[in-house]
Amino acid sequence: MAEKKEVVETSEAQIAVHWGEEAYYEPSAEFIAQANMTDSGIYERFSLDNFPNCFKEYADLLDWYEYWDTILDTSDAPCWKWFVGGKVNASYNCVDRHLAKHKNKTAIHFVPELEEEKTEHVTFQELYVRVNEMAALLQDFCGLKAGDRVTLHLPMTPDLPVTMLACARLGVIHSQVFGGFSGKSCADRIVDSGSNVLITADSYYRGGKLIDHKEKADTAVAEAKKAGQTVDKVLVWQRYPGKNSTPTPMVEGLDYFTNDVLKNYYGKIVEPVRMPAEAPLFLMYTSGTTGKPKGCQHGTGGYLAYVTGTSKFVQDIHPEDVYWCMADIGWITGHSYIVYGPLALAASTVIYEGIPTYPDAGRCWRIAQDLDVNIFHTAPTAIRALRKVGPDEPAKYNYKFKHMTTVGEPIEPEVWKWYYNVVGRGEAAIVDTWWQTETGGFLCSTIPALKAMKPGSAGPGMPGIHPVIYDDEGKELPAGAGKAGNICIRNPWPGGFQTIWGDRDRFVSTYYERYCRDKNSKNWEDWPYLTGDAAVEAEDGYFRILGRIDDVINVSGHRLGTKELESAALVVQEVAEAAVVPVKHDIKGIEPDLYVALKPGIEGSDEIAAKISKAIVDEIGAIARPRKVWIVPDMPKTRSGKIMRRVLGAISNKGDVGDTMTLANPEVVEEITKMVQN
Ligand code: PRX
């Protein structure tokens, strides 16, 4: 009974809410008057006829050591290479080049979670000094050089972008693991990327508590070792330099306090390494359809050009703006739109350590008021939570947003309208940006001064991004068809990931095989990119994203593989089978429900359920904790033994289970329904 069973899916798209089309909202004249992009000719310039040369406009936002000669090299299709022949450094573009004009301007405002702690304002000059010293340390003390991978498991403090930019300065490929992930998850990523160095922190604040983070490093190192990957050095940034804030002891000869070692490198300057445009800049692991996370490999020149261009035109960032994206830098949103994009444009970017509602529902709006934030960027989950705990809070504070972003999940029109009217006071332009870890930057969004907003719709394809919706047979569903299908992108773009680290076959099969016209083709037109989302395209060319069509679920805007959760549950020895289904949730959007069947002779109990839940938190992290662990007598199965996840999904969402008479065991459906719906 414990052998692996095939599973029949229920997807997010199947349980998606199908809200109707909404009316347009126009951006204000005040916004348009100051916007970076007001030329509607941009859509024509970035039409398919002008592809790929249109992307020169993005490349020219960067400083190049050597200008590129080939804009797009398709010879290794579908591993596209952008700006080939060019030499560039990301750290230089985000830091050094701003010194002439903006040396004394704030690059990073760091807001500690405890309100009694002072906000730290890091100028570009100070950032330059810290990045150089850290680069010197990585080079000399750790022996790292271009092409090496290093795993970061850092919380939200300036030490994280400093470390990333120090890596980028050397051409070292950073792989930051979301701080909330477990030591075990961190280990998997250390092993997959082949990192010898782990950079972590002793502690950080969350919900008013100082969390011991160092203990996760010990687990990560031990687990990585078991899997054959030795970590030689662990660098530990201290939350309070010089003071130990963790009960977990340092390991002699392995662990070093970063801030202590840095003393040996004070004042050191490291020349940025002139990297080929297509050299990898970082890995960002994300969940897929199998248990093993995929290391999305992003390049240097293409990625940086794309996030800089989209930060300028969609986020409308000017150097004088104070920009706050509330995401965690441990996700792609933070990489692209807290660190690389905003800093490449010399903006002041805000890093907030803690949770948005700590210590009360007004915290975000106080931060906005105190720092003069004028561009605000967050996810529907946070908007729903802020609306729930403090629907009238924003009015109590004196801030003024010109622009707001939503990202990561579909946003309900009702929630959108609260964001617009109450948070943005009907003055701020909103962009709903749809994209993915893989895509590096936005795929669909309005350009805020050029296109009207429509609640619940991400908007049209970005300039130079040409989406298409295919049905299961590969037929195009035109705008206004009123039918959902699989949204794909017809063409490559500079921000797209280059491959899955160490697994080109998986890259091709997951993203390009489905609608590929000719596997031997070197013509990009034969290789539409499969996003894995379901979408509908309205008459006006705006896309509404419905959710995932694969085994990925989006919990609070965080991507989790159902297979990852299931394998974590199977670590508990009493468990014979496990199935995860997405459930609609008011705040989180989607939550995982976990069904398990135990091995013969084992009785279900609250203790076993708790043990399974804990196993998931230990293996993956607290964000993956299931809503409920349902211990069922048996899984509903087809006669060939497939678990009918669709039926479980319907039960969890109080939907229609459909015809169950063809199941091998229709009687369990009623039993499970009673258990879950009571
Ligand atoms: O399903 C889509 C959803 O989030 C997925 C990508 O998740 P991740 O790689 O973690 O990146 C999140 C930040 C870009 C997508 O496949 N998604 C993302 N943005 C939106 C969205 N769904 C609806 N509307 C969005 N704006």
Side-chain angles (χ1 to χ4, degrees):
M1 201 160 145
E3 84 272 21
K4 258 193 133 173
K5 289 267 175 10
E6 236 185 301
V7 170
V8 176
E9 308 312 327
T10 186
S11 71
E12 279 189 9
Q14 283 166 332
I15 63 159
V17 275
H18 292 265
W19 52 71
E21 285 290 303
E22 294 278 328
Y24 294 120
Y25 286 61
E26 297 293 337
S28 70
E30 191 185 353
F31 178 81
I32 295 171
Q34 62 78 61
N36 277 327
M37 178 47 69
T38 51
D39 170 12
S40 59
I42 189 170
Y43 287 102
E44 176 51 33
R45 289 204 303 284
F46 281 77
S47 68
L48 271 180
D49 288 346
N50 295 326
F51 181 87
N53 294 338
C54 50
F55 281 111
K56 178 179 188 307
E57 211 167 311
Y58 281 41
D60 288 348
L61 297 170
L62 304 184
D63 285 1
W64 296 83
Y65 296 113
E66 278 172 44
Y67 204 64
W68 42 274
D69 46 58
T70 308
I71 193 154
L72 173 64
D73 173 357
T74 64
S75 60
D76 189 26
C79 295
W80 318 116
K81 292 188 187 72
W82 284 90
F83 309 130
V84 179
K87 294 272 174 67
V88 67
N89 185 282
S91 175
Y92 177 86
N93 273 280
C94 292
V95 187
D96 307 37
R97 69 162 170 167
H98 305 316
L99 296 181
K101 267 204 200 145
H102 302 295
K103 198 181 206 153
N104 295 317
K105 177 184 176 294
T106 300
I108 296 171
H109 294 284
F110 170 59
V111 184
E113 195 193 59
L114 296 188
E115 238 169 340
E116 58 268 30
E117 285 187 5
K118 238 168 81 47
T119 295
E120 191 187 338
H121 310 279
V122 182
T123 61
F124 275 99
Q125 173 65 23
E126 173 65 14
L127 183 62
Y128 173 76
V129 169
R130 290 196 203 180
V131 168
N132 271 285
E133 289 171 353
M134 186 60 182
L137 183 156
L138 294 176
Q139 192 172 47
D140 182 62
F141 184 68
C142 300
L144 291 168
K145 55 179 191 318
D148 291 344
R149 281 82 52 210
V150 47
T151 298
L152 283 46
H153 194 201
L154 290 168
M156 286 286 282
T157 74
D159 302 332
L160 174 48
V162 164
T163 307
M164 288 163 64
L165 292 164
C167 290
R169 200 164 188 85
L170 301 171
V172 169
I173 304 168
H174 58 75
S175 167
Q176 153 72 6
V177 179
F178 168 57
F181 274 147
S182 65
K184 175 68 171 52
S185 287
C186 183
D188 294 343
R189 288 150 176 81
I190 290 173
V191 174
D192 190 76
S193 62
S195 303
N196 298 315
V197 175
L198 170 64
I199 306 180
T200 187
D202 64 344
S203 62
Y204 61 98
Y205 278 98
R206 195 144 181 94
K209 283 202 218 65
L210 194 59
I211 309 272
D212 178 9
H213 190 62
K214 167 64 170 63
E215 64 171 6
K216 289 185 177 175
D218 292 5
T219 307
V221 171
E223 292 287 328
K225 185 152 198 176
K226 271 195 226 159
Q229 180 66 35
T230 306
V231 173
D232 308 321
K233 282 199 168 77
V234 178
L235 300 178
V236 183
W237 287 97
Q238 287 178 305
R239 175 64 175 75
Y240 299 99
K243 178 178 150 197
N244 202 0
S245 308
T246 160
T248 307
M250 297 289 276
V251 180
E252 177 83 28
L254 176 70
D255 299 344
Y256 301 88
F257 287 123
T258 318
N259 31 275
D260 278 350
V261 186
L262 270 175
K263 289 176 187 156
N264 303 326
Y265 299 95
Y266 279 175
K268 284 273 182 311
I269 298 295
V270 177
E271 255 318 284
V273 178
R274 302 176 177 212
M275 296 302 292
E278 70 274 21
L281 177 63
F282 67 86
L283 305 180
M284 171 63 67
Y285 282 84
T286 191
S287 297
T289 47
T290 69
K292 192 173 171 247
K294 308 177 269 200
C296 294
Q297 176 186 317
H298 282 282
T300 306
Y303 169 83
L304 194 64
Y306 196 68
V307 300
T308 305
T310 50
S311 293
K312 182 158 183 170
F313 302 143
V314 177
Q315 296 297 294
D316 200 54
I317 294 176
H318 305 62
E320 53 277 20
D321 290 325
V322 181
Y323 167 89
W324 182 17
C325 170
M326 265 190 358
D328 193 290
I329 298 175
W331 305 106
I332 192 71
T333 304
H335 274 47
S336 301
Y337 299 112
I338 297 178
V339 180
Y340 285 113
L343 291 179
L345 294 172
S348 302
T349 187
V350 178
I351 295 180
Y352 172 53
E353 179 180 32
I355 58 177
T357 50
Y358 183 84
D360 58 55
R363 185 66 193 277
C364 286
W365 322 125
R366 277 201 296 285
I367 293 173
Q369 166 186 276
D370 296 349
L371 293 177
D372 255 333
V373 172
N374 65 343
I375 306 179
F376 184 67
H377 184 158
T378 191
T381 293
I383 305 170
R384 288 188 288 256
L386 289 164
R387 174 176 178 245
K388 183 159 183 218
V389 299
D392 307 318
E393 281 301 302
K396 299 180 188 161
Y397 297 93
N398 181 23
Y399 64 83
K400 184 175 161 69
F401 294 154
K402 68 165 184 177
H403 181 291
M404 304 192 300
T405 301
T406 168
V407 61
E409 314 146 66
I411 181 164
E412 299 79 355
E414 271 318 294
V415 177
W416 190 99
K417 286 173 196 168
W418 180 78
Y419 196 34
Y420 182 79
N421 290 315
V422 179
V423 179
R425 297 170 180 159
E427 290 167 351
I430 294 186
V431 292
D432 180 344
T433 57
W434 168 68
W435 59 296
Q436 313 177 295
T437 304
E438 292 87 339
T439 71
F442 307 144
L443 293 176
C444 283
S445 166
T446 50
I447 301 269
L450 290 178
K451 299 264 180 193
M453 305 160 245
K454 189 161 72 172
S457 284
M462 286 287 297
I465 303 282
H466 300 278
V468 55
I469 299 180
Y470 291 120
D471 69 11
D472 285 341
E473 277 69 54
K475 206 165 99 299
E476 279 185 29
L477 296 175
K483 272 201 211 120
N486 304 322
I487 184 165
C488 296
I489 310 298
R490 290 183 199 274
N491 60 296
W493 64 98
F497 67 145
Q498 302 176 304
T499 187
I500 295 174
W501 179 258
D503 203 345
R504 189 186 194 277
D505 289 348
R506 190 175 175 200
F507 171 73
V508 177
S509 63
T510 309
Y511 300 99
Y512 289 100
E513 217 153 62
R514 176 101 188 243
Y515 294 112
C516 179
R517 287 176 202 109
D518 170 9
K519 279 192 197 160
N520 297 316
S521 173
K522 304 290 176 207
N523 182 350
W524 58 263
E525 286 167 282
D526 291 324
W527 295 93
Y529 166 77
L530 177 75
T531 65
D533 281 332
V536 280
E537 182 180 3
E539 203 89 57
D540 57 9
Y542 280 42
F543 292 89
R544 193 139 47 86
I545 308 299
L546 302 175
R548 302 290 307 182
I549 54 173
D550 55 13
D551 297 349
V552 170
I553 56 174
N554 191 330
V555 180
S556 304
H558 301 320
R559 226 166 116 169
L560 297 171
T562 51
K563 295 273 196 305
E564 276 174 90
L565 274 80
E566 288 162 7
S567 358
L570 288 167
V571 166
V572 176
Q573 54 128 353
E574 289 90 342
V575 176
E577 291 175 309
V580 167
V581 293
V583 191
K584 257 180 71 58
H585 183 270
D586 280 353
I587 304 284
K588 300 180 183 178
I590 297 282
E591 243 189 342
D593 235 5
L594 174 64
Y595 288 86
V596 295
L598 302 179
K599 288 179 182 158
I602 297 177
E603 278 293 306
S605 65
D606 289 349
E607 288 70 49
I608 293 186
K611 191 159 133 186
I612 296 169
S613 204
K614 181 172 180 303
I616 290 180
V617 174
D618 289 346
E619 292 282 314
I620 304 172
I623 54 162
R625 194 194 310 273
R627 168 179 85 142
K628 175 92 185 155
V629 177
W630 304 105
I631 300 179
V632 297
D634 195 8
M635 297 284 183
K637 284 186 193 133
T638 62
R639 297 221 165 103
S640 63
K642 290 181 183 177
I643 298 175
M644 289 293 282
R645 230 199 302 208
R646 182 177 55 72
V647 171
L648 296 172
I651 296 172
S652 281
N653 290 289
K654 303 199 166 68
D656 178 10
V657 293
D659 181 11
T660 56
M661 289 329 288
T662 56
L663 295 187
N665 51 356
E667 67 290 347
V668 300
V669 175
E670 206 178 315
E671 226 175 304
I672 299 174
T673 306
K674 256 198 219 141
M675 172 193 283
V676 175
Q677 295 186 355
N678 269 347

